[in-house]
Amino acid sequence: MPYCTLELIILVIIPSLLLAFPLVQVNAFSSFFIHHFNRNRPSHIQQAFFHKHNQKESSLNMYSAATSKIARSSVGKLTPATTSFFLCDIQERFRPLMFNSDTIISTSKYLTSVATSLSIPIIATQQYTKVFGPTVTDCFENGQEGIDLLLQNSYSNDGDDSGDDTTQKLKIFEKKKFSMMTEEVTNYYTNSKGMLGRENVVLFGIEAHICVQQTCLDLIEMGKNVHLVLDCVSSQQGYDREVALKKMENAGAYLTTAQSLAFMLMESADHPNFKEVSKLTVAHMKLPNQFNDSYK
C-alpha cells in the first residue's frame, strides 16, 4: 500500500473513528491500531499517529471528567440555608390575562408563606410598575399588610428575627429588563451577606416564556441551581408556557411543584416547623388547582 494512502488512513480516518466510539471501546480500539501500525513503519508516520492519538485521547478524558463533575455537582436537593425564593413579576395588570392566574396567585401565597415559615429570603421584581402595577397583594399572607411587615423585617444568621439587615425577609426591585437579574438584583444576590451560600433558587411567576425564562437562563449561566415551580409559572398562552418549560429544563433547570419543594426543604417530620407548613399545605390543597384539571 502506498505510504500516502497509509498516512491518510492513519492521520484522518482512524482519529475520526476514535471519536465515533464510546470511551470504553476507544481505549481497546486505539490500542489495537497503535500496536498494528507500530510495526515496520517509518518513524515520522509513527510519531504523527501517536501525536494525533494523544490529542484525541486527552480530549475524550477531559470530556469524561467534565460530565462526571456536572453529574456530581447537584441532584436537585434543597435546604433552607442554601435556598432563596425568586418571585417574578406577578403584577395587577397581568392578573386577568394569565393562563390559570387564580392558581398562580394562590400558589404564590403558599410559597411565600412557606418561605417565611422556614426563614428563606424572597426576592421579588416588578416590571415597569408605572404601567403594569404593583405585585398582587394576594401573593402574600395578609395582603399589603403582610408585604409591609416582611419588607420591614429580616432574619439573623441562625434564622431567628433580629434587628440587623443581613438577610431581609423580602426585597422588591423595580425593573425594565425582562430578566430579574438586573444589575441591582445581581449585586444584592451575589454580594449581600445574607445571600452568601444560597446557590439554590426557587423560581416562580410570569411570564414563563419571557421574564421567567430569561431569569432562569441567567441564573444557570451564573452556576446556580434553578428550581421551577410548575404550578406557579405561567404565560398568557398555555403553549408559550409549555415550550418555555421544556427549554428551561433542557438548559438544566429542575422541575418541581410547590408541595414537593416545601417538604424537601423540611426533609423530615421532625423539622420544628413541620406542623406549621403542613397546616399551610392542607389549606392550599383545599383550593382549586387549575393545572390539575387536565388530569381529570
Side-chain angles (χ1 to χ4, degrees):
M1 180 183 296
Y3 280 126
C4 61
T5 305
L6 183 59
E7 287 180 346
L8 177 65
I9 294 172
I10 294 173
L11 300 180
V12 178
I13 298 176
I14 292 176
S16 300
L17 289 173
L18 291 176
L19 288 177
F21 277 72
L23 188 60
V24 175
Q25 296 179 23
V26 164
N27 291 331
F29 185 74
S30 59
S31 297
F32 167 78
F33 276 97
I34 289 173
H35 174 73
H36 179 74
F37 285 104
N38 191 36
R39 297 179 301 169
N40 303 319
R41 304 299 178 195
S43 59
H44 73 281
I45 294 179
Q46 292 183 29
Q47 291 173 0
F49 174 73
F50 288 141
H51 177 69
K52 287 286 184 180
H53 167 72
N54 289 336
Q55 281 186 325
K56 301 302 181 183
E57 186 173 51
S58 176
S59 298
L60 287 167
N61 288 338
M62 289 175 63
Y63 173 79
S64 178
T67 52
S68 297
K69 183 177 180 180
I70 291 171
R72 290 194 303 267
S73 64
S74 173
V75 293
K77 288 188 175 182
L78 292 168
T79 63
T82 61
T83 302
S84 58
F85 279 34
F86 278 41
L87 188 164
C88 183
D89 304 351
I90 305 180
Q91 296 164 252
E92 285 293 348
R93 181 72 177 273
F94 298 121
R95 186 171 189 161
L97 304 176
M98 288 299 109
F99 175 68
N100 292 346
S101 63
D102 290 344
T103 296
I104 296 298
I105 292 168
S106 65
T107 305
S108 294
K109 181 178 179 180
Y110 172 70
L111 289 170
T112 57
S113 298
V114 168
T116 303
S117 177
L118 301 179
S119 301
I120 298 172
I122 304 165
I123 293 176
T125 56
Q126 297 175 173
Q127 180 75 19
Y128 201 15
T129 306
K130 183 179 179 180
V131 173
F132 298 112
T135 299
V136 174
T137 57
D138 290 340
C139 290
F140 293 85
E141 187 71 35
N142 299 321
Q144 187 61 52
E145 182 181 346
I147 292 174
D148 292 340
L149 191 62
L150 291 175
L151 289 170
Q152 295 165 11
N153 289 279
S154 59
Y155 304 116
S156 65
N157 290 333
D158 61 5
D160 295 325
D161 294 337
S162 71
D164 63 38
D165 58 356
T166 55
T167 314
Q168 197 164 327
K169 291 186 176 182
L170 171 65
K171 286 278 285 184
I172 299 178
F173 296 88
E174 168 76 16
K175 71 182 181 71
K176 289 185 179 178
K177 182 178 180 177
F178 297 132
S179 171
M180 291 180 71
M181 304 314 294
T182 63
E183 183 177 349
E184 188 179 10
V185 172
T186 300
N187 182 62
Y188 176 76
Y189 177 55
T190 57
N191 297 322
S192 182
K193 182 179 179 182
M195 289 292 174
L196 296 178
R198 297 186 181 275
E199 300 298 306
N200 300 310
V201 174
V202 172
L203 177 60
F204 55 101
I206 58 177
E207 287 189 64
H209 64 298
I210 304 175
C211 297
V212 173
Q213 178 175 273
Q214 292 186 34
T215 303
C216 176
L217 298 180
D218 284 346
L219 286 165
I220 291 172
E221 280 191 331
M222 292 169 62
K224 308 305 179 184
N225 304 311
V226 180
H227 299 255
L228 290 167
V229 189
L230 296 195
D231 45 344
C232 200
V233 172
S234 194
S235 297
Q236 293 186 55
Q237 300 182 85
Y239 187 66
D240 283 332
R241 173 185 181 272
E242 180 183 348
V243 173
L245 291 175
K246 289 179 180 178
K247 179 169 183 176
M248 289 185 280
E249 182 181 23
N250 289 338
Y254 295 103
L255 305 187
T256 187
T257 62
Q259 188 178 145
S260 174
L261 72 87
F263 283 84
M264 179 178 286
L265 285 163
M266 292 187 295
E267 191 176 1
S268 168
D270 292 328
H271 192 282
N273 297 92
F274 174 76
K275 288 185 178 180
E276 182 179 349
V277 174
S278 294
K279 184 177 179 180
L280 291 170
T281 303
V282 170
H284 181 249
M285 289 182 67
K286 290 179 180 179
L287 300 174
N289 187 323
Q290 294 161 303
F291 291 108
N292 281 335
D293 291 345
S294 60
Y295 295 95
K296 294 179 180 178

